[in-house]
Amino acid sequence: MASTSANESAAAAQPRAAISHVIFDMDGLLLGIFLSLPSSISWIQGEFLGSRFYASGGAADTEGFYTEVQEKILARYGKVFDWSLKAKMMGKKATESARIFVDECGLDGLLTPEQFLEERESMLQALFPSCTKLPGVLRLVHHLHANGIPMAVATGSHKRHFALKTQNHQEMFSLMHHVVMGDDPEVKAGKPSPDIFLAAMRRFEGNVEPSKCLVFEDAPSGVAAAKNAGMSAVMVPDPRLDVSYHKGADQVLSSLLNFKPSEWGLPPFKE
């Protein structure tokens, strides 16, 4: 009996994988928004129907920006933006998500993907600078950096949006080895294609194997992209995303505050 117990303890102590490099998605994973926005943005005050909130920090993920804007646009046509549609759009390149939006909502002849993107862009420009770091992010990033674990960001955001979202978080992003964006020439296709994660992996120093990379994602398409790249994936989804979209992730967490590095062969937090 004692031998069985010892074997179970040893198995529990075994890490899920021997990770040496970490890749983060950005929207909804690293960055979010404050509950209070500038009073000039009157159309969004008090709504926030599509955002993830954290009672302790008053923040919601940046995917909420897109949700709010898209809800506003659809309302004009008497339609509702639901989570099944959001799940299909998350992590995609802008042109891909715009086509999905128009097709799935039956807006052909009423709104073109190009018109949708133009309208959405003008609304988003006012919101992005209010991004804030989500719970557990800074602790994890500082911990990995202090322990010499190379990190990168792989985001579907293009350069202009990335600059707006990160302008107040330069210190954190300076700790990243590199950033790969959605409009990078090496990223031929958006998630769930593995392009962006493979590009991020190739830019680390040395010959890094996919099996040594751990990806943090909030979107189903992002998890699929990581797995298609041969990498491990930790998912931190919005709590309202149906659990059926969690499949494929190696681990699902409600917050980065719950992540335990030692489970992945990474240096443990010093409590």
Side-chain angles (χ1 to χ4, degrees), residues 24-27 30-31 66 121 128-129 131 153-170 172-174 176 178-183:
F24 293 103
D25 175 44
M26 186 174 73
D27 290 327
L30 293 179
L31 295 182
Y66 296 93
E121 177 73 12
F128 284 152
C131 287
V153 170
T155 174
S157 294
H158 52 67
K159 288 183 180 129
R160 184 172 66 258
H161 282 181
F162 179 83
L164 287 170
K165 294 171 184 176
T166 63
Q167 62 182 285
N168 297 317
H169 309 288
Q170 294 300 307
M172 182 177 76
F173 284 92
S174 72
M176 302 296 167
H178 57 273
V179 175
V180 181
M181 298 174 217
D183 53 358

PDB file of all heavy atoms in Angstrom, residues 24-27 30-31 66 121 128-129 131 153-170 172-174 176 178-183:
ATOM      1  N   PHE A  24       3.096  33.875 -25.720  1.00  0.00           N
ATOM      2  CA  PHE A  24       1.812  34.399 -25.266  1.00  0.00           C
ATOM      3  C   PHE A  24       0.991  34.972 -26.416  1.00  0.00           C
ATOM      4  O   PHE A  24       1.528  35.683 -27.272  1.00  0.00           O
ATOM      5  CB  PHE A  24       2.025  35.555 -24.270  1.00  0.00           C
ATOM      6  CG  PHE A  24       2.629  35.179 -22.963  1.00  0.00           C
ATOM      7  CD1 PHE A  24       3.976  35.445 -22.702  1.00  0.00           C
ATOM      8  CD2 PHE A  24       1.876  34.587 -21.964  1.00  0.00           C
ATOM      9  CE1 PHE A  24       4.552  35.122 -21.484  1.00  0.00           C
ATOM     10  CE2 PHE A  24       2.430  34.266 -20.735  1.00  0.00           C
ATOM     11  CZ  PHE A  24       3.775  34.528 -20.494  1.00  0.00           C
ATOM     12  N   ASP A  25      -0.304  34.681 -26.424  1.00  0.00           N
ATOM     13  CA  ASP A  25      -1.247  35.472 -27.197  1.00  0.00           C
ATOM     14  C   ASP A  25      -1.358  36.805 -26.442  1.00  0.00           C
ATOM     15  O   ASP A  25      -0.852  36.925 -25.311  1.00  0.00           O
ATOM     16  CB  ASP A  25      -2.592  34.746 -27.250  1.00  0.00           C
ATOM     17  CG  ASP A  25      -3.669  35.572 -27.930  1.00  0.00           C
ATOM     18  OD1 ASP A  25      -3.383  36.171 -28.977  1.00  0.00           O
ATOM     19  OD2 ASP A  25      -4.788  35.633 -27.397  1.00  0.00           O
ATOM     20  N   MET A  26      -2.019  37.807 -27.014  1.00  0.00           N
ATOM     21  CA  MET A  26      -2.101  39.093 -26.322  1.00  0.00           C
ATOM     22  C   MET A  26      -3.524  39.462 -25.904  1.00  0.00           C
ATOM     23  O   MET A  26      -3.825  39.550 -24.708  1.00  0.00           O
ATOM     24  CB  MET A  26      -1.520  40.212 -27.193  1.00  0.00           C
ATOM     25  CG  MET A  26      -1.452  41.555 -26.467  1.00  0.00           C
ATOM     26  SD  MET A  26      -0.619  42.858 -27.418  1.00  0.00           S
ATOM     27  CE  MET A  26      -1.841  43.222 -28.664  1.00  0.00           C
ATOM     28  N   ASP A  27      -4.433  39.668 -26.864  1.00  0.00           N
ATOM     29  CA  ASP A  27      -5.793  40.098 -26.531  1.00  0.00           C
ATOM     30  C   ASP A  27      -6.514  39.037 -25.714  1.00  0.00           C
ATOM     31  O   ASP A  27      -6.615  37.882 -26.110  1.00  0.00           O
ATOM     32  CB  ASP A  27      -6.586  40.375 -27.807  1.00  0.00           C
ATOM     33  CG  ASP A  27      -6.108  41.616 -28.521  1.00  0.00           C
ATOM     34  OD1 ASP A  27      -5.670  42.550 -27.838  1.00  0.00           O
ATOM     35  OD2 ASP A  27      -6.169  41.654 -29.761  1.00  0.00           O
ATOM     36  N   LEU A  30      -3.033  38.643 -22.152  1.00  0.00           N
ATOM     37  CA  LEU A  30      -2.122  39.552 -21.450  1.00  0.00           C
ATOM     38  C   LEU A  30      -2.802  40.874 -21.096  1.00  0.00           C
ATOM     39  O   LEU A  30      -2.612  41.396 -20.007  1.00  0.00           O
ATOM     40  CB  LEU A  30      -0.892  39.846 -22.315  1.00  0.00           C
ATOM     41  CG  LEU A  30       0.089  38.704 -22.594  1.00  0.00           C
ATOM     42  CD1 LEU A  30       1.224  39.209 -23.478  1.00  0.00           C
ATOM     43  CD2 LEU A  30       0.633  38.116 -21.298  1.00  0.00           C
ATOM     44  N   LEU A  31      -3.570  41.406 -22.043  1.00  0.00           N
ATOM     45  CA  LEU A  31      -4.128  42.744 -21.869  1.00  0.00           C
ATOM     46  C   LEU A  31      -5.642  42.744 -21.797  1.00  0.00           C
ATOM     47  O   LEU A  31      -6.318  41.937 -22.438  1.00  0.00           O
ATOM     48  CB  LEU A  31      -3.686  43.659 -23.017  1.00  0.00           C
ATOM     49  CG  LEU A  31      -2.189  43.965 -23.103  1.00  0.00           C
ATOM     50  CD1 LEU A  31      -1.930  44.919 -24.269  1.00  0.00           C
ATOM     51  CD2 LEU A  31      -1.663  44.560 -21.798  1.00  0.00           C
ATOM     52  N   TYR A  66     -13.758  44.256 -29.029  1.00  0.00           N
ATOM     53  CA  TYR A  66     -14.315  43.806 -30.297  1.00  0.00           C
ATOM     54  C   TYR A  66     -15.785  43.418 -30.132  1.00  0.00           C
ATOM     55  O   TYR A  66     -16.615  43.722 -30.995  1.00  0.00           O
ATOM     56  CB  TYR A  66     -13.513  42.609 -30.825  1.00  0.00           C
ATOM     57  CG  TYR A  66     -12.083  42.947 -31.158  1.00  0.00           C
ATOM     58  CD1 TYR A  66     -11.066  42.771 -30.228  1.00  0.00           C
ATOM     59  CD2 TYR A  66     -11.742  43.456 -32.413  1.00  0.00           C
ATOM     60  CE1 TYR A  66      -9.753  43.089 -30.522  1.00  0.00           C
ATOM     61  CE2 TYR A  66     -10.425  43.776 -32.723  1.00  0.00           C
ATOM     62  CZ  TYR A  66      -9.421  43.588 -31.771  1.00  0.00           C
ATOM     63  OH  TYR A  66      -8.130  43.909 -32.067  1.00  0.00           O
ATOM     64  N   GLU A 121     -12.997  49.899 -37.009  1.00  0.00           N
ATOM     65  CA  GLU A 121     -11.704  50.523 -36.742  1.00  0.00           C
ATOM     66  C   GLU A 121     -11.857  51.872 -36.050  1.00  0.00           C
ATOM     67  O   GLU A 121     -11.158  52.184 -35.082  1.00  0.00           O
ATOM     68  CB  GLU A 121     -10.936  50.693 -38.055  1.00  0.00           C
ATOM     69  CG  GLU A 121      -9.600  51.402 -37.941  1.00  0.00           C
ATOM     70  CD  GLU A 121      -8.526  50.546 -37.298  1.00  0.00           C
ATOM     71  OE1 GLU A 121      -8.746  49.334 -37.138  1.00  0.00           O
ATOM     72  OE2 GLU A 121      -7.464  51.081 -36.954  1.00  0.00           O
ATOM     73  N   PHE A 128      -8.530  51.317 -27.525  1.00  0.00           N
ATOM     74  CA  PHE A 128      -7.308  50.548 -27.290  1.00  0.00           C
ATOM     75  C   PHE A 128      -6.330  51.148 -26.280  1.00  0.00           C
ATOM     76  O   PHE A 128      -5.702  50.415 -25.516  1.00  0.00           O
ATOM     77  CB  PHE A 128      -6.584  50.283 -28.607  1.00  0.00           C
ATOM     78  CG  PHE A 128      -7.231  49.204 -29.434  1.00  0.00           C
ATOM     79  CD1 PHE A 128      -7.120  49.215 -30.818  1.00  0.00           C
ATOM     80  CD2 PHE A 128      -7.941  48.172 -28.848  1.00  0.00           C
ATOM     81  CE1 PHE A 128      -7.704  48.218 -31.588  1.00  0.00           C
ATOM     82  CE2 PHE A 128      -8.533  47.175 -29.607  1.00  0.00           C
ATOM     83  CZ  PHE A 128      -8.411  47.197 -30.978  1.00  0.00           C
ATOM     84  N   PRO A 129      -6.134  52.469 -26.248  1.00  0.00           N
ATOM     85  CA  PRO A 129      -5.158  53.000 -25.275  1.00  0.00           C
ATOM     86  C   PRO A 129      -5.517  52.735 -23.814  1.00  0.00           C
ATOM     87  O   PRO A 129      -4.674  52.900 -22.936  1.00  0.00           O
ATOM     88  CB  PRO A 129      -5.160  54.513 -25.577  1.00  0.00           C
ATOM     89  CG  PRO A 129      -5.552  54.598 -27.018  1.00  0.00           C
ATOM     90  CD  PRO A 129      -6.592  53.524 -27.184  1.00  0.00           C
ATOM     91  N   CYS A 131      -6.115  49.888 -22.481  1.00  0.00           N
ATOM     92  CA  CYS A 131      -5.767  48.517 -22.100  1.00  0.00           C
ATOM     93  C   CYS A 131      -4.998  48.477 -20.782  1.00  0.00           C
ATOM     94  O   CYS A 131      -4.183  49.360 -20.498  1.00  0.00           O
ATOM     95  CB  CYS A 131      -4.879  47.875 -23.167  1.00  0.00           C
ATOM     96  SG  CYS A 131      -5.733  47.427 -24.668  1.00  0.00           S
ATOM     97  N   VAL A 153       5.608  37.103 -27.915  1.00  0.00           N
ATOM     98  CA  VAL A 153       4.177  37.353 -28.080  1.00  0.00           C
ATOM     99  C   VAL A 153       3.825  37.049 -29.532  1.00  0.00           C
ATOM    100  O   VAL A 153       4.538  37.456 -30.454  1.00  0.00           O
ATOM    101  CB  VAL A 153       3.811  38.817 -27.742  1.00  0.00           C
ATOM    102  CG1 VAL A 153       2.370  39.128 -28.161  1.00  0.00           C
ATOM    103  CG2 VAL A 153       3.985  39.069 -26.254  1.00  0.00           C
ATOM    104  N   ALA A 154       2.733  36.317 -29.735  1.00  0.00           N
ATOM    105  CA  ALA A 154       2.229  36.023 -31.076  1.00  0.00           C
ATOM    106  C   ALA A 154       0.779  36.490 -31.114  1.00  0.00           C
ATOM    107  O   ALA A 154      -0.104  35.837 -30.563  1.00  0.00           O
ATOM    108  CB  ALA A 154       2.326  34.534 -31.369  1.00  0.00           C
ATOM    109  N   THR A 155       0.538  37.636 -31.727  1.00  0.00           N
ATOM    110  CA  THR A 155      -0.786  38.246 -31.706  1.00  0.00           C
ATOM    111  C   THR A 155      -1.314  38.488 -33.112  1.00  0.00           C
ATOM    112  O   THR A 155      -0.571  38.881 -34.014  1.00  0.00           O
ATOM    113  CB  THR A 155      -0.761  39.582 -30.932  1.00  0.00           C
ATOM    114  OG1 THR A 155      -2.041  40.220 -31.052  1.00  0.00           O
ATOM    115  CG2 THR A 155       0.315  40.523 -31.457  1.00  0.00           C
ATOM    116  N   GLY A 156      -2.609  38.282 -33.275  1.00  0.00           N
ATOM    117  CA  GLY A 156      -3.233  38.565 -34.559  1.00  0.00           C
ATOM    118  C   GLY A 156      -3.376  40.054 -34.820  1.00  0.00           C
ATOM    119  O   GLY A 156      -3.688  40.462 -35.940  1.00  0.00           O
ATOM    120  N   SER A 157      -3.135  40.883 -33.818  1.00  0.00           N
ATOM    121  CA  SER A 157      -3.200  42.339 -34.001  1.00  0.00           C
ATOM    122  C   SER A 157      -2.144  42.795 -35.003  1.00  0.00           C
ATOM    123  O   SER A 157      -1.023  42.297 -35.004  1.00  0.00           O
ATOM    124  CB  SER A 157      -2.961  43.065 -32.671  1.00  0.00           C
ATOM    125  OG  SER A 157      -4.001  42.826 -31.758  1.00  0.00           O
ATOM    126  N   HIS A 158      -2.503  43.759 -35.844  1.00  0.00           N
ATOM    127  CA  HIS A 158      -1.500  44.317 -36.752  1.00  0.00           C
ATOM    128  C   HIS A 158      -0.761  45.459 -36.056  1.00  0.00           C
ATOM    129  O   HIS A 158      -1.105  45.846 -34.940  1.00  0.00           O
ATOM    130  CB  HIS A 158      -2.133  44.767 -38.072  1.00  0.00           C
ATOM    131  CG  HIS A 158      -3.305  45.681 -37.935  1.00  0.00           C
ATOM    132  ND1 HIS A 158      -3.199  46.962 -37.442  1.00  0.00           N
ATOM    133  CD2 HIS A 158      -4.626  45.497 -38.214  1.00  0.00           C
ATOM    134  CE1 HIS A 158      -4.373  47.546 -37.445  1.00  0.00           C
ATOM    135  NE2 HIS A 158      -5.272  46.679 -37.890  1.00  0.00           N
ATOM    136  N   LYS A 159       0.255  45.977 -36.717  1.00  0.00           N
ATOM    137  CA  LYS A 159       1.177  46.919 -36.073  1.00  0.00           C
ATOM    138  C   LYS A 159       0.479  48.126 -35.469  1.00  0.00           C
ATOM    139  O   LYS A 159       0.812  48.557 -34.369  1.00  0.00           O
ATOM    140  CB  LYS A 159       2.224  47.382 -37.091  1.00  0.00           C
ATOM    141  CG  LYS A 159       3.237  46.314 -37.431  1.00  0.00           C
ATOM    142  CD  LYS A 159       4.304  46.851 -38.380  1.00  0.00           C
ATOM    143  CE  LYS A 159       5.299  45.740 -38.684  1.00  0.00           C
ATOM    144  NZ  LYS A 159       5.528  45.544 -40.092  1.00  0.00           N
ATOM    145  N   ARG A 160      -0.479  48.704 -36.192  1.00  0.00           N
ATOM    146  CA  ARG A 160      -1.122  49.923 -35.688  1.00  0.00           C
ATOM    147  C   ARG A 160      -1.904  49.638 -34.408  1.00  0.00           C
ATOM    148  O   ARG A 160      -1.804  50.381 -33.435  1.00  0.00           O
ATOM    149  CB  ARG A 160      -2.046  50.494 -36.771  1.00  0.00           C
ATOM    150  CG  ARG A 160      -2.687  51.826 -36.384  1.00  0.00           C
ATOM    151  CD  ARG A 160      -3.432  52.450 -37.551  1.00  0.00           C
ATOM    152  NE  ARG A 160      -4.595  51.668 -37.970  1.00  0.00           N
ATOM    153  CZ  ARG A 160      -4.627  50.866 -39.037  1.00  0.00           C
ATOM    154  NH1 ARG A 160      -3.534  50.704 -39.779  1.00  0.00           N
ATOM    155  NH2 ARG A 160      -5.726  50.208 -39.361  1.00  0.00           N
ATOM    156  N   HIS A 161      -2.660  48.554 -34.389  1.00  0.00           N
ATOM    157  CA  HIS A 161      -3.411  48.210 -33.185  1.00  0.00           C
ATOM    158  C   HIS A 161      -2.478  47.811 -32.050  1.00  0.00           C
ATOM    159  O   HIS A 161      -2.723  48.155 -30.888  1.00  0.00           O
ATOM    160  CB  HIS A 161      -4.379  47.061 -33.473  1.00  0.00           C
ATOM    161  CG  HIS A 161      -5.615  47.484 -34.203  1.00  0.00           C
ATOM    162  ND1 HIS A 161      -6.620  46.613 -34.534  1.00  0.00           N
ATOM    163  CD2 HIS A 161      -6.002  48.712 -34.659  1.00  0.00           C
ATOM    164  CE1 HIS A 161      -7.584  47.272 -35.170  1.00  0.00           C
ATOM    165  NE2 HIS A 161      -7.232  48.541 -35.259  1.00  0.00           N
ATOM    166  N   PHE A 162      -1.429  47.088 -32.368  1.00  0.00           N
ATOM    167  CA  PHE A 162      -0.476  46.676 -31.336  1.00  0.00           C
ATOM    168  C   PHE A 162       0.120  47.899 -30.641  1.00  0.00           C
ATOM    169  O   PHE A 162       0.234  47.932 -29.411  1.00  0.00           O
ATOM    170  CB  PHE A 162       0.643  45.830 -31.954  1.00  0.00           C
ATOM    171  CG  PHE A 162       1.680  45.374 -30.964  1.00  0.00           C
ATOM    172  CD1 PHE A 162       1.470  44.245 -30.189  1.00  0.00           C
ATOM    173  CD2 PHE A 162       2.863  46.082 -30.798  1.00  0.00           C
ATOM    174  CE1 PHE A 162       2.420  43.829 -29.263  1.00  0.00           C
ATOM    175  CE2 PHE A 162       3.818  45.681 -29.882  1.00  0.00           C
ATOM    176  CZ  PHE A 162       3.594  44.542 -29.113  1.00  0.00           C
ATOM    177  N   ALA A 163       0.481  48.906 -31.419  1.00  0.00           N
ATOM    178  CA  ALA A 163       1.077  50.121 -30.846  1.00  0.00           C
ATOM    179  C   ALA A 163       0.095  50.825 -29.913  1.00  0.00           C
ATOM    180  O   ALA A 163       0.476  51.300 -28.833  1.00  0.00           O
ATOM    181  CB  ALA A 163       1.516  51.061 -31.963  1.00  0.00           C
ATOM    182  N   LEU A 164      -1.174  50.884 -30.295  1.00  0.00           N
ATOM    183  CA  LEU A 164      -2.183  51.543 -29.465  1.00  0.00           C
ATOM    184  C   LEU A 164      -2.419  50.777 -28.167  1.00  0.00           C
ATOM    185  O   LEU A 164      -2.543  51.360 -27.088  1.00  0.00           O
ATOM    186  CB  LEU A 164      -3.503  51.667 -30.233  1.00  0.00           C
ATOM    187  CG  LEU A 164      -3.551  52.708 -31.354  1.00  0.00           C
ATOM    188  CD1 LEU A 164      -4.827  52.532 -32.168  1.00  0.00           C
ATOM    189  CD2 LEU A 164      -3.466  54.117 -30.782  1.00  0.00           C
ATOM    190  N   LYS A 165      -2.480  49.463 -28.265  1.00  0.00           N
ATOM    191  CA  LYS A 165      -2.776  48.636 -27.093  1.00  0.00           C
ATOM    192  C   LYS A 165      -1.630  48.605 -26.087  1.00  0.00           C
ATOM    193  O   LYS A 165      -1.845  48.499 -24.884  1.00  0.00           O
ATOM    194  CB  LYS A 165      -3.099  47.204 -27.533  1.00  0.00           C
ATOM    195  CG  LYS A 165      -4.366  47.065 -28.336  1.00  0.00           C
ATOM    196  CD  LYS A 165      -4.477  45.654 -28.918  1.00  0.00           C
ATOM    197  CE  LYS A 165      -5.677  45.512 -29.810  1.00  0.00           C
ATOM    198  NZ  LYS A 165      -5.761  44.186 -30.474  1.00  0.00           N
ATOM    199  N   THR A 166      -0.407  48.676 -26.588  1.00  0.00           N
ATOM    200  CA  THR A 166       0.758  48.469 -25.714  1.00  0.00           C
ATOM    201  C   THR A 166       1.465  49.753 -25.310  1.00  0.00           C
ATOM    202  O   THR A 166       2.464  49.691 -24.582  1.00  0.00           O
ATOM    203  CB  THR A 166       1.780  47.548 -26.411  1.00  0.00           C
ATOM    204  OG1 THR A 166       2.264  48.186 -27.610  1.00  0.00           O
ATOM    205  CG2 THR A 166       1.148  46.212 -26.778  1.00  0.00           C
ATOM    206  N   GLN A 167       0.968  50.890 -25.726  1.00  0.00           N
ATOM    207  CA  GLN A 167       1.703  52.139 -25.497  1.00  0.00           C
ATOM    208  C   GLN A 167       1.962  52.421 -24.020  1.00  0.00           C
ATOM    209  O   GLN A 167       2.950  53.077 -23.683  1.00  0.00           O
ATOM    210  CB  GLN A 167       0.973  53.317 -26.148  1.00  0.00           C
ATOM    211  CG  GLN A 167      -0.405  53.589 -25.597  1.00  0.00           C
ATOM    212  CD  GLN A 167      -1.093  54.737 -26.336  1.00  0.00           C
ATOM    213  OE1 GLN A 167      -0.760  55.906 -26.142  1.00  0.00           O
ATOM    214  NE2 GLN A 167      -2.036  54.396 -27.201  1.00  0.00           N
ATOM    215  N   ASN A 168       1.097  51.914 -23.143  1.00  0.00           N
ATOM    216  CA  ASN A 168       1.289  52.149 -21.710  1.00  0.00           C
ATOM    217  C   ASN A 168       1.892  50.945 -20.990  1.00  0.00           C
ATOM    218  O   ASN A 168       1.898  50.886 -19.758  1.00  0.00           O
ATOM    219  CB  ASN A 168      -0.048  52.510 -21.057  1.00  0.00           C
ATOM    220  CG  ASN A 168      -0.627  53.805 -21.601  1.00  0.00           C
ATOM    221  OD1 ASN A 168       0.097  54.780 -21.790  1.00  0.00           O
ATOM    222  ND2 ASN A 168      -1.917  53.816 -21.877  1.00  0.00           N
ATOM    223  N   HIS A 169       2.415  49.991 -21.765  1.00  0.00           N
ATOM    224  CA  HIS A 169       2.947  48.759 -21.169  1.00  0.00           C
ATOM    225  C   HIS A 169       4.301  48.379 -21.761  1.00  0.00           C
ATOM    226  O   HIS A 169       4.622  47.205 -21.939  1.00  0.00           O
ATOM    227  CB  HIS A 169       1.947  47.615 -21.367  1.00  0.00           C
ATOM    228  CG  HIS A 169       0.562  47.959 -20.933  1.00  0.00           C
ATOM    229  ND1 HIS A 169       0.218  48.087 -19.594  1.00  0.00           N
ATOM    230  CD2 HIS A 169      -0.553  48.268 -21.640  1.00  0.00           C
ATOM    231  CE1 HIS A 169      -1.057  48.443 -19.512  1.00  0.00           C
ATOM    232  NE2 HIS A 169      -1.538  48.562 -20.732  1.00  0.00           N
ATOM    233  N   GLN A 170       5.085  49.392 -22.070  1.00  0.00           N
ATOM    234  CA  GLN A 170       6.373  49.151 -22.720  1.00  0.00           C
ATOM    235  C   GLN A 170       7.314  48.314 -21.866  1.00  0.00           C
ATOM    236  O   GLN A 170       8.078  47.489 -22.380  1.00  0.00           O
ATOM    237  CB  GLN A 170       7.035  50.485 -23.081  1.00  0.00           C
ATOM    238  CG  GLN A 170       6.270  51.272 -24.143  1.00  0.00           C
ATOM    239  CD  GLN A 170       6.131  50.505 -25.442  1.00  0.00           C
ATOM    240  OE1 GLN A 170       7.115  50.038 -25.997  1.00  0.00           O
ATOM    241  NE2 GLN A 170       4.904  50.357 -25.920  1.00  0.00           N
ATOM    242  N   MET A 172       6.700  45.853 -19.744  1.00  0.00           N
ATOM    243  CA  MET A 172       6.399  44.429 -19.826  1.00  0.00           C
ATOM    244  C   MET A 172       6.786  43.840 -21.182  1.00  0.00           C
ATOM    245  O   MET A 172       7.408  42.777 -21.256  1.00  0.00           O
ATOM    246  CB  MET A 172       4.914  44.171 -19.581  1.00  0.00           C
ATOM    247  CG  MET A 172       4.548  42.688 -19.620  1.00  0.00           C
ATOM    248  SD  MET A 172       2.811  42.350 -19.239  1.00  0.00           S
ATOM    249  CE  MET A 172       2.015  42.855 -20.779  1.00  0.00           C
ATOM    250  N   PHE A 173       6.461  44.546 -22.244  1.00  0.00           N
ATOM    251  CA  PHE A 173       6.763  44.004 -23.568  1.00  0.00           C
ATOM    252  C   PHE A 173       8.252  44.046 -23.886  1.00  0.00           C
ATOM    253  O   PHE A 173       8.723  43.300 -24.740  1.00  0.00           O
ATOM    254  CB  PHE A 173       5.932  44.724 -24.634  1.00  0.00           C
ATOM    255  CG  PHE A 173       4.499  44.269 -24.647  1.00  0.00           C
ATOM    256  CD1 PHE A 173       3.542  44.930 -23.894  1.00  0.00           C
ATOM    257  CD2 PHE A 173       4.114  43.150 -25.369  1.00  0.00           C
ATOM    258  CE1 PHE A 173       2.227  44.489 -23.865  1.00  0.00           C
ATOM    259  CE2 PHE A 173       2.801  42.701 -25.345  1.00  0.00           C
ATOM    260  CZ  PHE A 173       1.854  43.372 -24.587  1.00  0.00           C
ATOM    261  N   SER A 174       8.995  44.884 -23.175  1.00  0.00           N
ATOM    262  CA  SER A 174      10.451  44.910 -23.378  1.00  0.00           C
ATOM    263  C   SER A 174      11.105  43.636 -22.851  1.00  0.00           C
ATOM    264  O   SER A 174      12.248  43.323 -23.203  1.00  0.00           O
ATOM    265  CB  SER A 174      11.061  46.129 -22.677  1.00  0.00           C
ATOM    266  OG  SER A 174      11.045  45.960 -21.260  1.00  0.00           O
ATOM    267  N   MET A 176      10.021  40.682 -23.513  1.00  0.00           N
ATOM    268  CA  MET A 176       9.819  39.652 -24.523  1.00  0.00           C
ATOM    269  C   MET A 176      11.016  39.597 -25.468  1.00  0.00           C
ATOM    270  O   MET A 176      11.568  40.639 -25.836  1.00  0.00           O
ATOM    271  CB  MET A 176       8.548  39.936 -25.335  1.00  0.00           C
ATOM    272  CG  MET A 176       7.287  40.024 -24.491  1.00  0.00           C
ATOM    273  SD  MET A 176       6.882  38.454 -23.683  1.00  0.00           S
ATOM    274  CE  MET A 176       5.631  38.997 -22.501  1.00  0.00           C
ATOM    275  N   HIS A 178      10.847  38.708 -28.553  1.00  0.00           N
ATOM    276  CA  HIS A 178      10.342  39.295 -29.788  1.00  0.00           C
ATOM    277  C   HIS A 178       8.821  39.229 -29.802  1.00  0.00           C
ATOM    278  O   HIS A 178       8.207  38.566 -28.967  1.00  0.00           O
ATOM    279  CB  HIS A 178      10.909  38.583 -31.021  1.00  0.00           C
ATOM    280  CG  HIS A 178      10.637  37.109 -31.036  1.00  0.00           C
ATOM    281  ND1 HIS A 178      11.470  36.191 -30.423  1.00  0.00           N
ATOM    282  CD2 HIS A 178       9.617  36.376 -31.566  1.00  0.00           C
ATOM    283  CE1 HIS A 178      10.978  34.970 -30.583  1.00  0.00           C
ATOM    284  NE2 HIS A 178       9.849  35.061 -31.267  1.00  0.00           N
ATOM    285  N   VAL A 179       8.226  39.930 -30.763  1.00  0.00           N
ATOM    286  CA  VAL A 179       6.772  39.928 -30.966  1.00  0.00           C
ATOM    287  C   VAL A 179       6.501  39.634 -32.431  1.00  0.00           C
ATOM    288  O   VAL A 179       7.138  40.205 -33.319  1.00  0.00           O
ATOM    289  CB  VAL A 179       6.154  41.298 -30.594  1.00  0.00           C
ATOM    290  CG1 VAL A 179       4.664  41.316 -30.919  1.00  0.00           C
ATOM    291  CG2 VAL A 179       6.386  41.617 -29.118  1.00  0.00           C
ATOM    292  N   VAL A 180       5.558  38.727 -32.697  1.00  0.00           N
ATOM    293  CA  VAL A 180       5.118  38.451 -34.064  1.00  0.00           C
ATOM    294  C   VAL A 180       3.666  38.893 -34.171  1.00  0.00           C
ATOM    295  O   VAL A 180       2.835  38.505 -33.349  1.00  0.00           O
ATOM    296  CB  VAL A 180       5.237  36.950 -34.416  1.00  0.00           C
ATOM    297  CG1 VAL A 180       4.783  36.712 -35.861  1.00  0.00           C
ATOM    298  CG2 VAL A 180       6.663  36.460 -34.218  1.00  0.00           C
ATOM    299  N   MET A 181       3.368  39.730 -35.187  1.00  0.00           N
ATOM    300  CA  MET A 181       2.021  40.280 -35.349  1.00  0.00           C
ATOM    301  C   MET A 181       1.315  39.665 -36.553  1.00  0.00           C
ATOM    302  O   MET A 181       1.924  39.008 -37.396  1.00  0.00           O
ATOM    303  CB  MET A 181       2.102  41.798 -35.490  1.00  0.00           C
ATOM    304  CG  MET A 181       2.694  42.472 -34.269  1.00  0.00           C
ATOM    305  SD  MET A 181       2.951  44.243 -34.529  1.00  0.00           S
ATOM    306  CE  MET A 181       4.487  44.464 -33.634  1.00  0.00           C
ATOM    307  N   GLY A 182       0.018  39.911 -36.611  1.00  0.00           N
ATOM    308  CA  GLY A 182      -0.799  39.310 -37.652  1.00  0.00           C
ATOM    309  C   GLY A 182      -0.454  39.732 -39.059  1.00  0.00           C
ATOM    310  O   GLY A 182      -0.736  39.002 -40.013  1.00  0.00           O
ATOM    311  N   ASP A 183       0.144  40.920 -39.219  1.00  0.00           N
ATOM    312  CA  ASP A 183       0.510  41.370 -40.558  1.00  0.00           C
ATOM    313  C   ASP A 183       1.974  41.096 -40.888  1.00  0.00           C
ATOM    314  O   ASP A 183       2.531  41.651 -41.830  1.00  0.00           O
ATOM    315  CB  ASP A 183       0.189  42.860 -40.740  1.00  0.00           C
ATOM    316  CG  ASP A 183       0.785  43.748 -39.653  1.00  0.00           C
ATOM    317  OD1 ASP A 183       1.424  43.207 -38.716  1.00  0.00           O
ATOM    318  OD2 ASP A 183       0.609  44.980 -39.718  1.00  0.00           O
TER     319      ASP A 183
END
